[in-house]
């Protein structure tokens, strides 16, 4: 099992450009999450999806959109990137009810200039 | 809303010594989970230990143990016989029982093990 995979690992964008971060899991998990990690602020939840076809906002959703394409895949889109979105982005997944452990992907380092 | 506070931004300890990382949280929930995650320089988030709030017994995982004080809303992590591979950022995190498994993280403690 690959677990949770994310692409790309690194990305540099110019202000105003758009891009989609991809996330996939092969553990048959129901729930998937997108977090961002900024220095000195820990990880903050952007969006989550409790099941295929459902998505909900987290703590910091502004400037982002998500798509739960199927049970395996959960993408994060930046429509018009801003320097404030420079961060490390983590995708995670979990199975409801199994001690609630979230499994994290390796992260994507995004820089917006 | 829940908040998680880690008041020690950085700590260092000699190899083989014991170190304790502090975490406090604020919530009105009575049922919840608490976690410690480790993030080494590779950036990968790794679950170290979890505690269910309804359990009075403190969780242990090999060299890692917690001191869970529910009334004080305190959840510290003790690392015994510290090893160089323990060098990492450590994050405390909170999850409600029925909150769609959303994690609320603290700001982290950077732990350095000195050879």
């Amino acid at each position: 099992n690959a677990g949770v995979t994310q692409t790309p690992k690194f990305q540099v964008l110019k202000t105003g450009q758009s891009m989609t971060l991809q996330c996939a899991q092969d553990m048959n998990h129901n729930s998937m999450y997108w977090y961002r990690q900024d220095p000195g602020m820990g990880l903050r939840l952007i969006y989550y999806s409790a099941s295929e076809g459902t998505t909900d906002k987290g703590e910091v959703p502004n400037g982002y959109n998500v798509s739960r394409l199927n049970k395996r895949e959960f993408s994060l889109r930046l429509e018009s990137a801003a320097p404030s979105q420079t961060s490390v982005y983590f995708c995670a997944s979990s199975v409801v009810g199994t001690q609630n452990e979230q499994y994290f992907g390796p992260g994507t380092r995004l820089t917006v200039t | 809303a829940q908040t998680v506070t880690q008041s020690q931004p950085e700590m260092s300890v000699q190899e083989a010594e014991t170190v304790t990382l502090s975490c406090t949280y604020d919530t009105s929930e009575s049922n919840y989970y608490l976690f410690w995650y480790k993030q080494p320089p590779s950036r990968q988030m790794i679950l170290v230990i979890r505690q269910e709030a309804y359990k009075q017994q403190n969780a242990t995982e090999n060299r890692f143990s917690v001191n869970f004080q529910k009334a004080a809303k305190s959840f510290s992590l003790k690392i015994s016989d510290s090893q160089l591979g323990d060098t990492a950022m450590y994050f405390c995190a909170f999850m409600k029982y029925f909150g769609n498994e959303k994690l609320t993280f603290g700001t982290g403690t950077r732990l350095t093990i000195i050879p």
Side-chain angles (χ1 to χ4, degrees):
Chain A
N1 284 353
V4 180
T5 57
Q6 292 182 235
T7 56
K9 286 189 166 48
F10 301 93
Q11 184 71 48
V12 179
L13 290 178
K14 293 189 187 321
T15 297
Q17 288 184 319
S18 62
M19 79 160 295
T20 299
L21 306 184
Q22 306 286 356
C23 174
Q25 51 90 10
D26 61 1
M27 297 174 283
N28 202 35
H29 287 173
N30 307 96
S31 300
M32 297 185 73
Y33 314 82
W34 277 106
Y35 295 89
R36 61 177 288 173
Q37 182 179 21
D38 302 298
M41 298 192 72
L43 280 76
R44 292 180 293 168
L45 183 66
I46 305 171
Y47 270 93
Y48 69 99
S49 171
S51 62
E52 184 179 350
T54 68
T55 61
D56 279 293
K57 296 178 180 179
E59 183 184 352
V60 288
N62 291 345
Y64 306 95
N65 286 302
V66 291
S67 296
R68 183 75 183 266
L69 305 170
N70 48 55
K71 193 172 186 179
R72 289 188 64 248
E73 298 171 292
F74 188 39
S75 62
L76 178 73
R77 182 161 178 84
L78 287 70
E79 291 291 351
S80 178
S84 61
Q85 294 178 305
T86 293
S87 189
V88 179
Y89 291 86
F90 287 93
C91 178
S93 70
S94 70
V95 178
V96 174
T98 57
Q99 303 187 49
N100 306 92
E101 178 175 355
Q102 289 191 15
Y103 295 81
F104 285 80
T108 295
R109 181 176 293 278
L110 174 67
T111 302
V112 183
T113 61
Chain B
Q2 287 66 232
T3 59
V4 178
T5 302
Q6 294 179 250
S7 58
Q8 304 154 312
E10 295 189 23
M11 296 185 72
S12 60
V13 66
Q14 292 290 135
E15 191 177 4
E17 290 186 348
T18 295
V19 61
T20 299
L21 281 58
S22 300
C23 173
T24 59
Y25 58 95
D26 189 28
T27 184
S28 58
E29 304 286 331
S30 56
N31 294 317
Y32 48 86
Y33 296 96
L34 294 164
F35 303 84
W36 280 98
Y37 277 88
K38 170 185 178 181
Q39 186 179 44
S42 67
R43 211 168 62 196
Q44 182 70 47
M45 294 290 287
I46 303 164
L47 179 64
V48 174
I49 199 165
R50 73 169 66 82
Q51 174 79 41
E52 289 90 342
Y54 69 88
K55 290 186 177 179
Q56 292 186 339
Q57 186 174 6
N58 289 324
T60 61
E61 288 287 344
N62 301 315
R63 297 183 295 107
F64 299 88
S65 61
V66 298
N67 183 5
F68 173 50
Q69 302 288 330
K70 190 172 184 179
K73 295 180 181 174
S74 170
F75 183 60
S76 60
L77 174 69
K78 186 171 82 170
I79 305 174
S80 303
D81 186 26
S82 57
Q83 301 174 358
L84 296 179
D86 296 332
T87 292
M89 283 288 288
Y90 287 82
F91 293 96
C92 180
F94 173 99
M95 178 191 293
K96 292 194 295 186
Y97 253 35
F98 300 108
N100 285 322
E101 288 75 45
K102 292 182 286 183
L103 285 167
T104 300
F105 285 89
T107 53
T109 295
R110 184 178 302 280
L111 176 65
T112 301
I113 308 300
I114 303 166

